[in-house]
Amino acid sequence: MAQYLLIVLSAFALALGVTPLVRRLAVRLGIVDAPSARKIHAHPMPLLGGVAIYVAAIAALALFGDRFYVRQVAGILLGATLCSIMGLWDDRSGLTAWAKLGGQIVAAAILVL
């Protein structure tokens, strides 16, 4: 149980550290959500927050995860990578709700298998 707590806490700490860097990168690359009549923010909001979470979670898993469970870690890595790629794609050009749901179902199926 202590190992899982170490993974969760280290992923949280890494995400806190990586988020400002990813935020600056998103602003520099112009990957922001512009204000509009349907949005509540008045200034452009940087996207790519999922990248910081993904990097932190994968790094924590790689650093503190149990190497004997390679099959499970591979499933987590593949599922998380698929969700992250879809999130990046959605941030850049937008995906329909059905496409996002389909991708999430595929990612969950990979994790279960």
Side-chain angles (χ1 to χ4, degrees), residues 44-69:
M45 296 298 293
L47 298 172
L48 301 182
V51 172
I53 295 169
Y54 173 78
V55 167
I58 296 302
L61 193 58
L63 290 172
F64 303 112
D66 194 350
R67 304 284 191 292
F68 294 108
Y69 297 105

Side-chain angles (χ1 to χ4, degrees), residues 19-62:
T19 298
L21 301 172
V22 172
R23 181 182 173 110
R24 277 184 252 154
L25 178 67
V27 170
R28 183 173 292 148
L29 295 176
I31 304 174
V32 294
D33 188 20
S36 70
R38 297 188 62 194
K39 309 231 171 117
I40 61 170
H41 54 276
H43 304 287
M45 296 298 293
L47 298 172
L48 301 182
V51 172
I53 295 169
Y54 173 78
V55 167
I58 296 302
L61 193 58

Side-chain angles (χ1 to χ4, degrees), residues 59-105:
L61 193 58
L63 290 172
F64 303 112
D66 194 350
R67 304 284 191 292
F68 294 108
Y69 297 105
V70 173
R71 191 168 171 205
Q72 288 87 348
V73 172
I76 292 169
L77 180 63
L78 287 171
T81 300
L82 177 60
C83 284
S84 295
I85 289 170
M86 288 184 47
L88 281 171
W89 189 358
D90 188 40
D91 284 349
R92 277 309 270 170
S93 55
L95 287 174
T96 66
W98 287 107
K100 287 187 254 185
L101 180 62
Q104 291 169 351
I105 289 171

Side-chain angles (χ1 to χ4, degrees), residues 1-16 53 56-65:
M1 187 67 168
Q3 182 182 14
Y4 298 128
L5 187 59
L6 177 64
I7 292 170
V8 169
L9 293 177
S10 62
F12 178 73
L14 285 168
L16 284 177
I53 295 169
I58 296 302
L61 193 58
L63 290 172
F64 303 112

